C-alpha cells in the first residue's frame, strides 16, 4: 500500500517509482490510499511514464477529486476519491493522543509554512475582533516573531501539535494538514494560498467538496469581513462522516480482496 501526501507529484525532483510500488512482487495486490499528485494536471510529456506507473497499481484511491480525472485521462483506469488519512480518526480519537496545552487564554493559532504580511495583518484583525491571543507553531522549531503580541511555540511535537489545534478558537494556515485538523476539531479557520502556487488543488478540492470555498483566501486579496469568521460545522460534519465511511469502505474492500488472494 502507498499513500498519501504528494507522493505522485511530478515536481519532487526525486525518483517516484517506489511510490508506485514497483519494488513489490508482481503477484501482490497493490493499493494506493489517498495518494496525491499535488497538482491539478500532469504535463503531457510525462503521461507515458505515468501510464506505466499507474498500471502497476490495482486499487487506486486518490486524495483530490481532480486526481480521479488525472488517473482516468492518463491510464484509463478507475480511481476513487477518498479522504486524507487524518480524517479516518474522529476528533475524540485524536484527543486521546493529543497533549493539550497548559494555556488558559482563548487563542488564534497560526500554522504558516510560507509567511506573509497579509497573514499577520489578518491574524491581528481577527484576534482583535474575537479578543484572542495569537499563538504561532513555528516551523522548523525556530523563533519567527520578535513582538510580544505573538506567543511562539518552538517545541511542539506531534502530540503538542494536535493539542494546540484542538484547543484553538480560530486558525490561520497555509498548510493542507492545518486545514484538515481545523476541520477535524471543528475550529473556524482560513486556508491561505498563493494565487499561482502549483499545489493549491489540495485545499481547493477538499474545501469545495465541503461547501467551504469561502474559507480559501489568496494572499493580497481583500480581507474577509468580520461577519464571515464563523463556520456552521453541522453540515460540514455530515459530509465528512459520509466521506469517512466511504473511505474506510474503500480501504476494507481493497484489503479484503488482498486477503482473498
Amino acid at each position: 500500500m502507498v499513500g498519501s501526501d504528494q507522493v505522485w507529484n511530478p515536481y519532487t525532483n526525486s525518483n517516484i517509482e517506489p511510490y508506485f510500488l514497483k519494488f513489490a512482487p508482481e503477484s501482490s495486490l497493490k493499493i494506493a490510499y489517498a495518494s496525491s499528485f499535488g497538482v491539478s494536471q500532469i504535463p503531457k510529456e510525462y503521461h507515458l511514464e505515468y501510464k506505466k506507473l499507474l498500471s502497476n497499481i490495482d486499487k487506486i484511491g486518490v486524495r483530490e477529486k481532480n486526481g480521479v480525472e488525472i488517473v482516468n485521462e492518463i491510464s484509463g483506469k478507475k480511481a476513487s476519491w477518498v479522504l486524507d488519512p487524518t480524517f479516518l480518526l474522529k476528533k475524540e480519537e485524536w484527543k486521546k493522543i493529543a497533549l493539550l496545552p497548559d494555556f488558559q487564554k482563548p487563542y488564534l493559532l497560526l500554522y504558516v509554512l510560507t509567511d506573509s504580511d497579509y497573514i499577520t495583518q489578518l491574524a491581528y484583525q481577527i484576534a482583535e475582533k474575537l479578543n484572542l491571543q495569537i499563538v504561532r507553531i513555528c516551523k522548523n522549531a525556530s523563533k519567527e516573531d520578535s513582538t510580544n503580541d505573538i506567543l511562539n511555540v518552538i517545541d511542539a511535537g506531534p502530540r503538542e501539535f494536535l493539542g494546540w489545534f484542538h484547543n484553538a478558537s480560530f486558525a490561520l494556515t497555509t498548510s493542507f494538514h492545518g486545514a484538515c485538523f481545523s476541520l477535524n476539531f471543528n475550529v473556524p479557520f482560513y486556508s491561505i494560498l498563493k494565487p499561482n502556487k502549483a499545489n493549491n488543488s489540495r485545499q481547493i478540492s477538499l474545501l469545495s467538496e465541503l461547501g467551504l470555498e469561502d474559507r480559501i483566501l489568496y494572499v493580497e486579496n481583500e480581507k474577509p469581513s468580520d461577519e464571515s469568521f464563523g463556520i456552521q460545522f453541522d453540515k460540514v460534519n455530515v459530509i465528512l462522516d459520509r466521506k469517512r465511511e466511504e473511505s474506510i469502505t474503500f480501504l476494507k474492500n481493497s484489503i479484503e480482496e488482498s486477503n482473498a488472494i
Side-chain angles (χ1 to χ4, degrees):
M1 184 175 291
V2 62
S4 60
D5 218 345
Q6 300 180 68
V7 289
W8 292 349
N9 191 321
Y11 303 114
T12 56
N13 297 317
S14 64
N15 180 15
I16 62 174
E17 279 198 1
Y19 301 110
F20 288 89
L21 306 177
K22 294 292 288 184
F23 57 86
E26 288 189 17
S27 59
S28 62
L29 184 73
K30 303 170 190 70
I31 303 167
Y33 180 80
S35 293
S36 170
F37 293 96
V39 293
S40 56
Q41 57 185 1
I42 302 296
K44 290 286 186 183
E45 59 267 29
Y46 296 159
H47 279 204
L48 183 59
E49 182 63 23
Y50 268 82
K51 183 176 182 179
K52 293 177 182 176
L53 292 170
L54 286 165
S55 69
N56 195 54
I57 307 294
D58 299 295
K59 300 291 182 180
I60 302 177
V62 290
R63 200 177 65 180
E64 291 89 35
K65 267 198 163 180
N66 58 4
V68 174
E69 299 168 5
I70 290 173
V71 171
N72 183 260
E73 177 191 1
I74 291 177
S75 70
K77 301 187 74 168
K78 180 183 177 182
S80 299
W81 179 61
V82 294
L83 288 176
D84 184 83
T86 55
F87 288 111
L88 298 185
L89 298 182
K90 293 185 177 182
K91 175 181 180 178
E92 297 75 21
E93 295 168 300
W94 280 118
K95 187 179 180 181
K96 291 177 183 177
I97 58 173
L99 189 60
L100 303 180
D102 183 17
F103 189 73
Q104 303 307 315
K105 295 180 181 178
Y107 60 89
L108 179 151
L109 185 65
L110 285 173
Y111 182 54
V112 177
L113 305 182
T114 306
D115 210 358
S116 70
D117 290 340
Y118 176 91
I119 298 172
T120 304
Q121 292 165 9
L122 180 59
Y124 279 118
Q125 174 190 339
I126 297 173
E128 181 178 4
K129 176 67 177 179
L130 302 181
N131 194 27
L132 303 174
Q133 167 69 49
I134 300 175
V135 175
R136 182 193 293 273
I137 297 180
C138 296
K139 67 175 183 179
N140 302 327
S142 61
K143 188 175 178 63
E144 295 208 358
D145 293 292
S146 57
T147 173
N148 292 329
D149 296 338
I150 298 177
L151 172 66
N152 292 278
V153 178
I154 62 173
D155 58 351
R159 295 179 66 200
E160 290 84 0
F161 176 93
L162 291 170
W164 281 106
F165 265 96
H166 180 278
N167 280 10
S169 298
F170 206 98
L172 295 179
T173 185
T174 60
S175 158
F176 173 77
H177 286 105
C180 289
F181 281 108
S182 297
L183 287 163
N184 239 344
F185 291 137
N186 284 190
V187 176
F189 73 100
Y190 284 112
S191 186
I192 302 168
L193 309 177
K194 288 189 173 180
N196 300 318
K197 198 172 181 183
N199 60 358
N200 285 343
S201 63
R202 299 174 300 158
Q203 288 95 320
I204 293 171
S205 176
L206 173 64
L207 297 180
S208 296
E209 183 67 20
L210 298 175
L212 293 176
E213 297 94 332
D214 63 337
R215 309 319 291 186
I216 299 171
L217 299 177
Y218 291 95
V219 172
E220 310 310 337
N221 279 14
E222 185 176 351
K223 294 181 179 65
S225 64
D226 294 351
E227 291 76 20
S228 65
F229 289 161
I231 295 177
Q232 297 295 321
F233 275 107
D234 289 347
K235 294 181 180 180
V236 174
N237 290 334
V238 168
I239 301 172
L240 276 178
D241 284 341
R242 174 176 54 81
K243 284 304 300 181
R244 183 180 289 113
E245 289 304 313
E246 291 175 5
S247 299
I248 291 173
T249 297
F250 169 86
L251 260 180
K252 285 182 175 179
N253 289 345
S254 298
I255 292 170
E256 286 171 3
E257 184 167 334
S258 174
N259 291 336
I261 292 179

